[in-house]
Amino acid sequence: MSKRKDANKTKIERLERQVENLQKRAYDSASTARRVESWKTQNSDPNIEVANGLAITRNRARDLRRNNSYARKIITTWSSNVVGTGIIPTSDDEALLELFNQWADSTDCDANGLTNFWGLQEQIIEAVVESGECLVQKVYDKSKLIPLRLKILEGDHLDHTLTKPKEGIQQGIKFDGTGNRTGYILFKSHPGSEGASTDTITVPAEDLIHVFRIERPNQQRGLTWLAPAIIELRKLKMFQDARLERVSIANLLAGIITDINGDPTETTSDIELSPGALISLPAGKDITFNTPPDPGQTSEFEKSLLRSISSAVGLPYELLSNDFSESNFSSARMSANGFLMLIDCVRWNMFVPQFLDRVWNWFWLTAPLSGLYNAGPEEEGPPKVTWTMPRRILVDLVRELPITIEAIRAGLTTPSEALREFGYNPKLFFEEYKRDMDIIEQLGLVLSSDCRKDAQRLKALSDQQQKTAEPA
């Protein structure tokens, strides 16, 4: 009887273990079966993960940009779409705005004196995509009307290995007790430069801008945007090199002359072949040709790899590959819509708050030094600024422009917002438009594009129809 009880108990325990195992396997992603037993993961703080991979992935991304055409295309495409020819400000404080535009249009804003504010925007975005982050230091040059200058630094200047928790230092950044940034510990020179020094300086947080994309909460440093695609980009380059070598070998057509009689002492000089040539071989000689390998056609594997890379870096496949053979208007528009949403996220969630708004504040504090501007009380803060993004390129102007027009007519968007989407400053646009209309009116010209004349013509037509409809 006891044996039967023991057997039943063992059976019950086995069933309980099976139920427990089934509960544990409710998610296949949490399975530890043989097919995923080699999948090693870790529960690391985002800053530990970034610190462990920052330098290696950054250096590999830079090497790819130098030597891989697709990596270069990824970086320049992101930059040209996010900032284009420049993101421009609009403000009700016209005096400050005019002074800012004078400063931004000149090379006085650049500490190196090589480019203007719009060129600096391009440098920063390219550095963020390539290296994961970029630093902008505020410096002063009293010889300039506006002494503010921006010094662009690569993230290498910020020592990611410098972490002292007791002193509130994490990856080269100093924090106070509440987690706010108070300073940055920078190398005086780029650590990769000739004769680089390990000497450092501490720059207050209010004098330095740190631009990077935050992918996890409390992340303090940025990682190259190429990180998910670095291995695939390198493998693709190796694959293309192998195909190119195969094509080169396929061109190695050679003729081999043999002696039918087997006379080893007799030699024959090289025979040069040319198109349409008739070659006369000496008696007893024969010539044969090798069969080079077929180089093959463009591989679907290469396209698949490019699609994977484009997904990893957030670009549409067509933009990365320049292959539009399988695209139509609908697919191109859907692809463009998704990319435009990503661009807006980068602009408004990263670039505007981290860089543009900070520079506007710096300029507002510095402008009074020129003697041309009187700032308000500092506690009130700088005047409000609105940033106008570069022009959005339409996939099909004929199909898309009427949609914008109907949205304005239906009250779903404003003319100003539509103008911003096309990269125009609404205030400047309407001022210029009014000047043009006044000149046209003075000259007595009537343009088909003048909507006011359309309204007049429609009213005249309506009046004529009413008169015709009235009884005599």
Side-chain angles (χ1 to χ4, degrees), residues 82-151:
V82 172
V83 300
T85 55
I87 300 174
I88 60 177
T90 304
S91 176
D92 291 335
D93 191 332
E94 296 186 1
L96 182 63
L97 182 62
E98 182 178 355
L99 205 58
F100 182 91
N101 286 331
Q102 292 177 5
W103 172 79
D105 285 334
S106 71
T107 58
D108 289 345
C109 63
D110 181 12
N112 295 321
L114 297 176
T115 187
N116 54 24
F117 185 61
W118 328 119
L120 293 178
Q121 293 180 18
E122 179 184 12
Q123 286 184 34
I124 292 168
I125 289 297
E126 289 198 0
V128 170
V129 177
E130 177 193 79
S131 305
E133 56 189 356
C134 185
L135 306 173
V136 184
Q137 186 179 359
K138 177 173 66 174
V139 296
Y140 288 105
D141 184 351
K142 295 182 179 179
S143 66
K144 304 296 182 181
L145 178 65
I146 302 293
L148 175 64
R149 309 193 85 183
L150 305 178
K151 186 177 182 180

Side-chain angles (χ1 to χ4, degrees), residues 99-352:
L99 205 58
F100 182 91
N101 286 331
Q102 292 177 5
W103 172 79
D105 285 334
S106 71
T107 58
D108 289 345
C109 63
D110 181 12
N112 295 321
L114 297 176
T115 187
N116 54 24
F117 185 61
W118 328 119
L120 293 178
Q121 293 180 18
E122 179 184 12
Q123 286 184 34
I124 292 168
I125 289 297
E126 289 198 0
V128 170
V129 177
E130 177 193 79
S131 305
E133 56 189 356
C134 185
L135 306 173
V136 184
Q137 186 179 359
K138 177 173 66 174
V139 296
Y140 288 105
D141 184 351
K142 295 182 179 179
S143 66
K144 304 296 182 181
L145 178 65
I146 302 293
L148 175 64
R149 309 193 85 183
L150 305 178
K151 186 177 182 180
I152 309 299
L153 301 173
E154 290 189 314
D156 308 55
H157 284 265
L158 192 58
D159 187 3
H160 69 282
T161 64
L162 181 60
T163 297
K164 298 179 179 179
K166 292 183 179 180
E167 299 179 22
I169 300 175
Q170 189 172 23
Q171 298 189 74
I173 306 172
K174 297 185 69 174
F175 297 88
D176 62 16
T178 60
N180 294 319
R181 299 184 179 211
T182 60
Y184 297 85
I185 302 173
L186 305 181
F187 290 116
K188 289 185 176 180
S189 59
H190 193 291
S193 61
E194 186 176 353
S197 171
T198 57
D199 295 339
T200 61
I201 58 172
T202 300
V203 179
E206 61 266 21
D207 292 338
L208 190 124
I209 294 172
H210 186 197
V211 185
F212 69 103
R213 184 165 64 179
I214 303 173
E215 297 182 344
R216 291 182 61 184
N218 300 317
Q219 180 181 333
Q220 307 299 346
R221 299 290 299 268
L223 203 64
T224 170
W225 296 11
L226 273 62
I230 280 179
I231 301 300
E232 290 175 312
L233 281 166
R234 185 169 183 268
K235 293 293 185 182
L236 177 60
K237 178 64 175 175
M238 294 170 63
F239 175 77
Q240 291 177 327
D241 287 345
R243 283 181 54 81
L244 184 60
E245 192 66 27
R246 186 174 181 179
V247 172
S248 300
I249 294 174
N251 291 329
L252 298 177
L253 181 64
I256 303 171
I257 300 175
T258 56
D259 192 321
I260 300 175
N261 300 325
D263 186 355
T265 61
E266 188 174 349
T267 60
T268 303
S269 60
D270 293 339
I271 297 176
E272 294 184 4
L273 299 179
S274 59
L278 299 176
I279 305 300
S280 178
L281 295 175
K285 301 295 182 181
D286 188 20
I287 185 169
T288 57
F289 294 92
N290 67 327
T291 305
D294 182 3
Q297 301 299 320
T298 302
S299 173
E300 286 298 322
F301 168 75
E302 187 173 351
K303 289 185 178 181
S304 175
L305 200 54
L306 277 172
R307 287 190 173 92
S308 176
I309 292 171
S310 64
S311 297
V313 299
L315 295 184
Y317 164 77
E318 293 79 8
L319 281 183
L320 178 61
S321 65
N322 286 330
D323 177 16
F324 297 89
S325 60
E326 300 176 5
S327 299
N328 53 37
F329 172 76
S330 298
S331 63
R333 194 71 193 93
M334 287 189 292
S335 178
N337 284 340
F339 186 45
L340 288 172
M341 292 182 67
L342 283 176
I343 291 172
D344 281 342
C345 288
V346 172
R347 287 170 175 169
W348 296 108
N349 299 342
M350 183 194 79
F351 200 57
V352 168

Side-chain angles (χ1 to χ4, degrees), residues 387-442:
W387 298 97
T388 300
M389 301 301 162
R391 179 181 181 184
R392 179 170 65 89
I393 305 299
L394 300 180
V395 175
D396 189 329
L397 185 65
V398 175
R399 297 190 186 188
E400 295 183 74
L401 189 57
I403 298 175
T404 302
I405 295 173
E406 290 303 319
I408 295 173
R409 288 176 174 171
L412 299 177
T413 188
T414 64
S416 294
E417 182 60 29
L419 287 170
R420 289 190 192 97
E421 290 184 1
F422 285 96
Y424 297 110
N425 182 320
K427 189 173 185 299
L428 297 178
F429 179 89
F430 286 125
E431 289 175 352
E432 182 177 351
Y433 196 88
K434 184 180 184 306
R435 288 195 300 269
D436 289 350
M437 291 298 100
D438 290 343
I439 294 173
I440 291 171
E441 193 75 27
Q442 292 172 7

